[in-house]
Amino acid sequence: MEKHPPPWTLGQLAELLGGELAGPSEMTIRRLVAAGSDDPQGLTFAESPEYLELAARSAVGAALVGCGETGFSRPHIRSKNPRADFALLLSWSEPDVRLDEGAHPTAIVHPLARVDPTARIGAYCVVSEGCAIRQGASIHAFCHIGPRCSVGEGCVLHPRVTLVRDVALGARTVVHSGAVIGADGFGYAWDGTRHAKIPQIGGVKIGEDVEIGANTCIDCSTVGDTTIGDGTKIDNQVQIAHNVSVGRHCVIAGLTGIAGSVKIGDRVVMGGAVSVRDHVSIVDMVSLAGRSVVDADIVAPGEYFGVPARPLKEAIRSFLLLPRLPELFSRLRKVESEVLRKEKS
Amino acid sequence: MEKHPPPWTLGQLAELLGGELAGPSEMTIRRLVAAGSDDPQGLTFAESPEYLELAARSAVGAALVGCGETGFSRPHIRSKNPRADFALLLSWSEPDVRLDEGAHPTAIVHPLARVDPTARIGAYCVVSEGCAIRQGASIHAFCHIGPRCSVGEGCVLHPRVTLVRDVALGARTVVHSGAVIGADGFGYAWDGTRHAKIPQIGGVKIGEDVEIGANTCIDCSTVGDTTIGDGTKIDNQVQIAHNVSVGRHCVIAGLTGIAGSVKIGDRVVMGGAVSVRDHVSIVDMVSLAGRSVVDADIVAPGEYFGVPARPLKEAIRSFLLLPRLPELFSRLRKVESEVLRKEKS
Amino acid sequence: MEKHPPPWTLGQLAELLGGELAGPSEMTIRRLVAAGSDDPQGLTFAESPEYLELAARSAVGAALVGCGETGFSRPHIRSKNPRADFALLLSWSEPDVRLDEGAHPTAIVHPLARVDPTARIGAYCVVSEGCAIRQGASIHAFCHIGPRCSVGEGCVLHPRVTLVRDVALGARTVVHSGAVIGADGFGYAWDGTRHAKIPQIGGVKIGEDVEIGANTCIDCSTVGDTTIGDGTKIDNQVQIAHNVSVGRHCVIAGLTGIAGSVKIGDRVVMGGAVSVRDHVSIVDMVSLAGRSVVDADIVAPGEYFGVPARPLKEAIRSFLLLPRLPELFSRLRKVESEVLRKEKS
C-alpha cells in the first residue's frame, strides 16, 4: 500500500484502514502513542482488557480497537485486525534516517571493492579490498566492512557495525549498531605449556531478511562458514560461536549464548538468556523458554524449558515443586519419626 | 571542597581530612594504592580486619583507617569516615582525560544541529540533524549522535558511544564506551510465512545523573519512550528492551537483561545477570540478588532471590536444601522399605 | 616450519606433514573444509567415528585422519596427530588481513605518543597522549588508544577496539573488535539521597599472549590495576569488573561475568555464562562448567558445576534428581498415607 505519513484525520484513518469510525471524523491525529498516554492528538492501540481500560481512563485522542469492542468510551476506530493495522501505521510513521546517495567524502573505499552506484555509504566508513556492496544497500557511519565481505541488495547496516572479514549478508538483512560479525572463533589446544590458537580461517554466511541486534557477536567458522538462515531475527547481545548453523525464520532473544558447532533447525524460538552447549543439535519448530539451558540434542518439536531444558509441562512441574523443598523435608522427617515410633512400640 | 591533587605529605593529608595523624608528618604520599600494595609512597584504605591485616603485613607507606583503630602498626591517619575520605582523595587523584574546547576539526556536525559553544566534541564524531548538545557536555572520539538526539548539560560520552536516533540524555549523565542507545526494539509478528517487523518508531529518554556502562544496550520504544529515571546507575553489558521504564536511583549490575515493557520502580537494585520477563512490574525498593529470574510482578518492597525470584529468606531455604536432594531420596527409600517390611510382618 | 599456503597436491601435503598417503598423489587440494563438505578440492579433518562417517558419505576431495584409520574409503592422509596437523594447515591457510606499514594518513597520533616505526596503524585510529605502541604492533581501523596506554610488541588490535585510558597490553596480545578495556568500574556509595560515584582511577594490566574476545569489557581498577595473566584466553561478551585479578593460562568462555575484586588463580577454565560473585577467590586449576555460579571461595583444584558451584560429581547427583521431584512428592504422599492407615488400623 502507498505510504501515508502523519498527520491524519480520524476519518481519513478509518477509511485508509477500512475500519469503522466511532468519533469525530475531523479530529487531528499527529502521532502514534503508547498505552496510557494523554496526548490529545495521539492514537493508541488497545486490544487486551487491560489496555482498553488504560486507554479509557486516559485523555488520549483516540484508540485503535478490535471490531467487537462496542463498549469503549473514547473516540476510536474498530478494526478486524487492529494489531496489523497499527503495525501499518507504525511503518507510515517511521522516522527518516536515510543516508545521502553515494559515498560520503570521508568514507574510505578500497579501489578493489565493488560498490553499486545506488548504494549509500555514510561518514567514516571503511570498505576493504574484495568487498561487494550491492544495489540500494545503506551503510551508516563508522561501519567497518573488512576484506572479502558482501553486503546484499537493500541491506541496512546501522552506525558502527563491524564485519571483520569474509562475511556475506543476504538481501535486505539489517544489522544494528555495535554488532561484530566474523571475529575469530574461540578455539585453542593445550600444548603442554600454553593454549595454542587454532587458526579460524572460515567466514560467516547470513541469509536474506535476517535482523541482527545491537552488540551481538557472530564468530567466523574454523573452516567453511558459520551460517544464519533466511528470515531469522536475532536480538541484542547474543553470542553465536564458530561453526554454528542456525536455520530459517528463527527468533533468538537477547543475551542468549550458542556455543560452538551447534546446529539449530528452522522456526526455532529462544527466550532471553538461553544457553546452548557446544555440538548440540535442535530440530525444527522448537521453542525454548528464557534462561533455559540446552545440554543435549532436542530431537522432537515442541516447547521446552528449564535447566536442563525438558518438555515444558514436565519441566514446570519440577519447577513449581522447588519452593516446596522445605515442606518435603519436614514431611519426610515426620514420617520417619512416625515409623520409628511404631518400631519402638 | 577545593581539589588538592597529589602528591601530599601525610601531615598535610591528615589536616585536609580532619583526621588524626599517627606517623611521620613529612612522609610523601604520591598515590592511592590497592590493599596489599608495597608502595612506600602509597596510601591505602583499610577498614575491615582482613584489609587491616593485609596492610599491616605490607610495606605500604601509610593507610587510612577508622578512628577506633588503635592497634594498627604502620603509619596511618585515623578518620571518622575513612571510606568517604578515601573517595574524596580518589576524586582529587582522577586522571585528566579532558577534551580540548570546541569541536575537533574531524568532527562532522550537521548545520541543523545546535551545539553549545562550551561543549567539547572529540575526533571523528558525527552529530546529526536536529541534535542539541548543551553547555559543558563532553563527547569523546568516535561518538555517533544520530538524528534528533539531545545531550544534556555536563554530560560525558566516552569514546565510541552510539545514540542511534531520538535519544534524550538528562544533565550530567555519563555513558561509557560501546553503549548503544536507541536501536530498534525486538518486535515481530508471524504473518504465516515470515516474522514481519513491527516498526519501532519511539525514542529513549534518560534522566539526569544517570550512568550507563560499556557495551550496554537500551532499545527505543515501539511508540513513546523507553525511560530511565534520574540517578539510576547501569553497569556494563546490560540489555534493556523496548518500552521498558526504569525508575529513579536504581542500580543494575552487569549482564542483566530486562525484557520488553517491564516497569521498574525507584531504588530497585539488581545484582549481576538478573533476568526480568517481559511485561512484569516491580515496585520501589526491591533488591534482587544476582542471577535471579523475575517472571511475575513483585508487589512488595524487600529482598528477593532465586529462579523464580522469591523473598530472600524463603528462597535461601530451598536453595540450601537443593544439595541435599540425594539425601532426601535415600531417606525416603529407607522409610518406604521400613513401611513395606512392616506390611509384610 | 616454513609456511606453505594452499593450493597443495595431496602427495605434497602427505610429505609436508610426514603422513601416510592413501589416494591420488596428484589430487589438487585448494582449501580446508568443514566436516560434511562435498568440495572435491577440499581437505577435511575427521577423527571421531561420527566425523569419519560424515566424511565417508560426502564427496569431499580428501580427509586427514588418525594413523590407525585403515577402513576409511575416500582419499586420505593418515597422521600421528591429525588435529595438530590440521591446525598447522589452518595456519598456512590464514587469510591475509595485514595493514600497510606505518600509520594511515587518517590516523590521529598525539605528538607525545611514542609509536615504533615498525608498528602499523589503520584508518581512523586515535592514539592519545602518553601512549607507547611497540614494534610490530598492528592496530586496525577505528581503534581508540586512550591516554597513557601501552600496546606491546606484536600485539594485534582488530577494528574498533577501545582502550579507554591507562591500559597496558603485554607482547603478542590480541584484542577483538568492540572490546572495551579500561572503562570505569561500577562503584557507588549511597549518600542518603543519591548513589555517589566512587572515582575509579586505576588501570588495567594485561599480560603477554592474552586473547580478548569481541565486545568483551574489562573495567579499570579503583586504585592499582585490574590484571589478566599471561596466556589467558577470554571469549566474546565477557564482563570483568574492577579490581579483578585473573591468573595465567586461564580460559573464560562467552557471556561469563566476573564481579568486582574477584581473585582467580592460574589454569582456571570457565564454561559459558558463568557468574562469579564479588570478592570471591578461586585457586589454580579449577574448572567450572557452563552457567555455574560461584558464590564462595573455591579452595581446592578440580571440576565444579552448578548453582552454587560444587564439586562436579556431587553437583551432578543433585542435578539429575531435580526432574524427579514430582516422583519424590508422590512417593512421599504414598508413604504418608500408608503410615496413617496403619495408625488407624
Side-chain angles (χ1 to χ4, degrees):
Chain A
M1 197 193 285
E2 198 194 338
K3 198 168 162 170
H4 297 270
W8 312 284
T9 66
L10 197 59
Q12 179 193 6
L13 267 187
E15 199 178 324
L16 283 165
L17 300 175
E20 210 172 333
L21 175 68
S25 172
E26 291 313 308
M27 175 187 273
T28 299
I29 299 294
R30 291 201 179 280
R31 62 192 77 84
L32 305 176
V33 295
S37 164
D38 289 322
D39 185 335
Q41 300 193 314
L43 178 81
T44 191
F45 159 68
E47 201 175 33
S48 68
E50 189 194 343
Y51 282 118
L52 281 161
E53 205 197 301
L54 198 60
R57 272 183 301 155
S58 78
V60 74
L64 188 64
V65 305
C67 54
E69 288 311 325
T70 53
F72 186 69
S73 58
R74 300 194 57 79
H76 61 278
I77 296 168
R78 284 191 291 267
S79 152
K80 273 181 207 142
N81 193 341
R83 183 173 292 262
D85 281 350
F86 200 72
L88 183 67
L89 297 184
L90 284 167
S91 74
W92 291 349
S93 308
E94 275 187 292
D96 191 12
V97 289
R98 262 228 306 218
L99 292 164
D100 293 336
E101 278 191 35
H104 191 276
T106 60
I108 298 175
V109 177
H110 194 280
L112 295 180
R114 281 166 300 140
V115 178
D116 188 279
T118 62
R120 291 152 193 261
I121 299 180
Y124 296 131
C125 284
V126 169
V127 178
S128 308
E129 188 172 351
C131 286
I133 313 294
R134 301 199 203 288
Q135 62 193 90
S138 287
I139 297 179
H140 285 262
F142 298 114
C143 283
H144 178 271
I145 316 294
R148 297 171 303 278
C149 290
S150 70
V151 174
E153 193 178 324
C155 280
V156 177
L157 272 62
H158 286 274
R160 203 184 307 288
V161 164
T162 306
L163 308 185
V164 181
R165 58 160 188 81
D166 299 292
V167 174
L169 303 181
R172 297 171 304 280
T173 279
V174 174
V175 186
H176 290 279
S177 299
V180 176
I181 308 181
D184 278 359
F186 194 62
Y188 303 91
W190 180 253
D191 73 0
T193 58
R194 62 186 189 110
H195 297 288
K197 184 172 178 80
I198 298 171
Q200 307 286 315
I201 68 167
V204 180
K205 197 164 190 316
I206 311 252
E208 303 187 340
D209 301 298
V210 171
E211 192 156 348
I212 294 169
N215 282 351
T216 277
C217 298
I218 303 177
D219 281 351
C220 74
S221 195
T222 311
V223 287
D225 288 311
T226 302
T227 58
I228 309 290
D230 293 346
T232 284
K233 311 298 184 184
I234 300 174
D235 197 1
N236 298 349
Q237 299 194 28
V238 170
Q239 153 66 0
I240 297 186
H242 56 171
N243 315 323
V244 165
S245 137
V246 175
R248 292 176 305 145
H249 303 296
C250 294
V251 172
I252 301 176
L255 289 166
T256 285
I258 299 179
S261 302
V262 164
K263 306 285 167 231
I264 294 175
D266 296 342
R267 307 271 318 267
V268 170
V269 175
M270 296 191 184
V274 166
S275 301
V276 185
R277 189 195 178 141
D278 58 294
H279 288 88
V280 154
S281 288
I282 299 176
V283 295
D284 296 350
M285 302 295 289
V286 164
S287 168
L288 281 152
R291 277 277 281 258
S292 294
V293 171
V294 182
D295 67 352
D297 291 352
I298 296 186
V299 298
E303 294 179 279
Y304 292 79
F305 166 57
V307 182
R310 287 181 294 143
L312 185 66
K313 273 188 193 163
E314 204 184 306
I316 281 184
R317 235 165 29 175
S318 295
F319 188 69
L320 293 177
L321 292 175
L322 264 182
R324 290 176 59 193
L325 270 182
E327 174 204 326
L328 198 64
F329 268 87
S330 81
R331 279 166 59 185
L332 180 61
R333 212 151 35 230
K334 202 169 146 200
V335 174
E336 284 171 336
S337 67
E338 289 283 328
V339 169
L340 192 69
R341 194 173 49 77
K342 278 194 215 136
E343 204 108 303
K344 286 184 180 160
S345 68
Chain B
M1 198 194 283
E2 198 194 337
K3 199 168 162 170
H4 298 271
W8 312 285
T9 65
L10 198 59
Q12 179 192 6
L13 267 187
E15 199 177 324
L16 283 165
L17 301 174
E20 208 172 334
L21 175 68
S25 171
E26 290 314 308
M27 174 187 274
T28 300
I29 298 294
R30 291 201 178 278
R31 63 193 74 84
L32 305 176
V33 294
S37 163
D38 289 322
D39 186 334
Q41 300 194 314
L43 177 81
T44 191
F45 159 66
E47 201 174 35
S48 68
E50 190 195 340
Y51 282 119
L52 281 162
E53 205 198 303
L54 197 60
R57 271 182 302 153
S58 78
V60 73
L64 188 62
V65 305
C67 54
E69 289 310 325
T70 52
F72 186 69
S73 57
R74 299 194 58 78
H76 61 277
I77 296 169
R78 284 191 292 266
S79 151
K80 273 180 207 141
N81 194 340
R83 183 173 293 263
D85 281 350
F86 200 71
L88 182 68
L89 296 183
L90 284 167
S91 74
W92 291 349
S93 308
E94 275 189 292
D96 190 12
V97 289
R98 262 226 305 213
L99 292 165
D100 293 336
E101 278 190 37
H104 192 275
T106 60
I108 299 176
V109 178
H110 194 280
L112 296 180
R114 281 167 300 140
V115 178
D116 188 279
T118 62
R120 292 153 193 258
I121 299 181
Y124 296 131
C125 284
V126 168
V127 178
S128 308
E129 188 171 352
C131 286
I133 314 294
R134 301 197 203 289
Q135 63 194 89
S138 287
I139 297 179
H140 285 262
F142 299 113
C143 283
H144 178 272
I145 315 295
R148 299 171 302 280
C149 290
S150 70
V151 174
E153 192 179 324
C155 281
V156 178
L157 274 60
H158 286 276
R160 203 182 306 286
V161 163
T162 306
L163 309 184
V164 181
R165 58 161 187 81
D166 299 293
V167 174
L169 303 181
R172 296 170 305 280
T173 278
V174 174
V175 187
H176 290 279
S177 299
V180 177
I181 307 181
D184 277 0
F186 194 62
Y188 304 91
W190 180 252
D191 72 1
T193 59
R194 62 186 190 109
H195 298 288
K197 183 172 178 83
I198 298 170
Q200 306 287 315
I201 68 167
V204 180
K205 200 167 190 314
I206 311 252
E208 304 187 339
D209 301 298
V210 171
E211 191 156 348
I212 293 170
N215 283 350
T216 278
C217 297
I218 303 177
D219 282 351
C220 75
S221 195
T222 311
V223 287
D225 288 312
T226 302
T227 58
I228 309 289
D230 294 346
T232 283
K233 311 298 183 185
I234 300 174
D235 198 1
N236 298 348
Q237 299 193 29
V238 170
Q239 153 65 1
I240 297 185
H242 55 172
N243 314 322
V244 166
S245 138
V246 175
R248 292 175 307 143
H249 303 296
C250 294
V251 172
I252 300 177
L255 289 165
T256 285
I258 299 179
S261 301
V262 165
K263 307 285 167 229
I264 294 175
D266 296 341
R267 306 272 317 267
V268 170
V269 175
M270 297 190 183
V274 164
S275 302
V276 184
R277 190 196 177 139
D278 58 293
H279 288 88
V280 154
S281 288
I282 298 176
V283 297
D284 296 351
M285 302 296 288
V286 164
S287 167
L288 282 152
R291 278 276 282 257
S292 294
V293 171
V294 182
D295 68 352
D297 290 354
I298 295 186
V299 298
E303 294 178 280
Y304 292 79
F305 166 57
V307 181
R310 287 180 296 141
L312 185 66
K313 272 187 194 163
E314 203 184 306
I316 281 185
R317 236 168 24 176
S318 295
F319 188 69
L320 293 177
L321 291 176
L322 265 182
R324 289 176 59 193
L325 270 182
E327 174 204 327
L328 198 64
F329 269 86
S330 81
R331 279 166 59 184
L332 179 62
R333 211 150 35 229
K334 203 169 147 200
V335 173
E336 284 171 335
S337 66
E338 290 282 328
V339 169
L340 192 69
R341 194 172 49 78
K342 276 192 215 139
E343 204 107 304
K344 287 185 179 158
S345 68
Chain C
M1 197 194 282
E2 199 194 335
K3 199 169 162 169
H4 298 270
W8 312 285
T9 66
L10 198 59
Q12 180 193 6
L13 267 187
E15 198 177 326
L16 283 166
L17 301 175
E20 211 172 329
L21 175 68
S25 171
E26 290 314 308
M27 175 187 273
T28 300
I29 298 294
R30 293 202 178 278
R31 64 193 74 85
L32 305 176
V33 294
S37 163
D38 289 322
D39 186 334
Q41 301 194 314
L43 177 80
T44 191
F45 159 66
E47 201 174 33
S48 68
E50 189 195 343
Y51 282 118
L52 281 162
E53 206 198 302
L54 197 59
R57 272 182 302 153
S58 79
V60 73
L64 188 62
V65 304
C67 54
E69 288 311 324
T70 53
F72 187 69
S73 57
R74 298 195 59 77
H76 61 277
I77 296 169
R78 284 190 291 267
S79 151
K80 274 181 206 141
N81 194 339
R83 185 174 291 263
D85 281 350
F86 200 72
L88 183 67
L89 297 183
L90 285 167
S91 74
W92 291 349
S93 308
E94 274 187 293
D96 190 11
V97 290
R98 262 226 306 215
L99 293 165
D100 293 336
E101 278 190 38
H104 191 277
T106 60
I108 299 175
V109 178
H110 195 281
L112 295 180
R114 281 167 300 139
V115 178
D116 188 279
T118 62
R120 291 152 193 260
I121 299 180
Y124 297 131
C125 284
V126 169
V127 178
S128 308
E129 188 171 351
C131 286
I133 313 294
R134 302 200 201 286
Q135 63 194 91
S138 287
I139 297 179
H140 284 263
F142 299 113
C143 283
H144 178 272
I145 315 295
R148 298 171 303 279
C149 291
S150 70
V151 174
E153 193 179 325
C155 280
V156 178
L157 274 61
H158 285 274
R160 204 183 304 287
V161 164
T162 306
L163 309 185
V164 182
R165 58 161 187 80
D166 299 293
V167 174
L169 303 181
R172 295 170 305 279
T173 278
V174 174
V175 186
H176 289 279
S177 299
V180 177
I181 307 181
D184 277 0
F186 193 63
Y188 304 91
W190 181 252
D191 72 1
T193 59
R194 61 184 191 110
H195 298 288
K197 185 172 176 81
I198 298 171
Q200 306 286 315
I201 68 167
V204 180
K205 199 165 189 314
I206 311 252
E208 303 186 341
D209 301 298
V210 171
E211 191 156 346
I212 293 169
N215 283 349
T216 278
C217 299
I218 304 177
D219 282 351
C220 75
S221 195
T222 311
V223 287
D225 288 311
T226 301
T227 59
I228 309 289
D230 293 345
T232 284
K233 311 297 183 184
I234 300 174
D235 197 1
N236 298 348
Q237 299 193 31
V238 170
Q239 153 67 359
I240 297 186
H242 56 171
N243 314 323
V244 166
S245 138
V246 175
R248 292 176 304 145
H249 303 295
C250 294
V251 172
I252 300 177
L255 289 165
T256 285
I258 300 179
S261 302
V262 165
K263 306 286 166 230
I264 294 175
D266 296 341
R267 306 273 317 268
V268 170
V269 174
M270 297 191 183
V274 166
S275 302
V276 185
R277 189 195 178 141
D278 58 292
H279 287 88
V280 154
S281 287
I282 298 176
V283 296
D284 296 351
M285 301 296 289
V286 163
S287 167
L288 281 152
R291 278 277 282 257
S292 294
V293 171
V294 182
D295 67 352
D297 291 353
I298 295 187
V299 298
E303 294 177 281
Y304 292 78
F305 166 57
V307 181
R310 287 181 297 142
L312 185 66
K313 274 189 193 162
E314 203 184 306
I316 281 185
R317 232 159 37 167
S318 295
F319 187 69
L320 294 177
L321 292 176
L322 264 181
R324 290 176 58 193
L325 270 182
E327 174 204 327
L328 198 64
F329 269 86
S330 80
R331 279 167 60 184
L332 179 62
R333 211 149 38 227
K334 204 169 145 200
V335 173
E336 284 171 336
S337 66
E338 289 282 328
V339 169
L340 193 69
R341 194 171 50 78
K342 278 195 214 134
E343 204 108 302
K344 286 182 180 160
S345 68

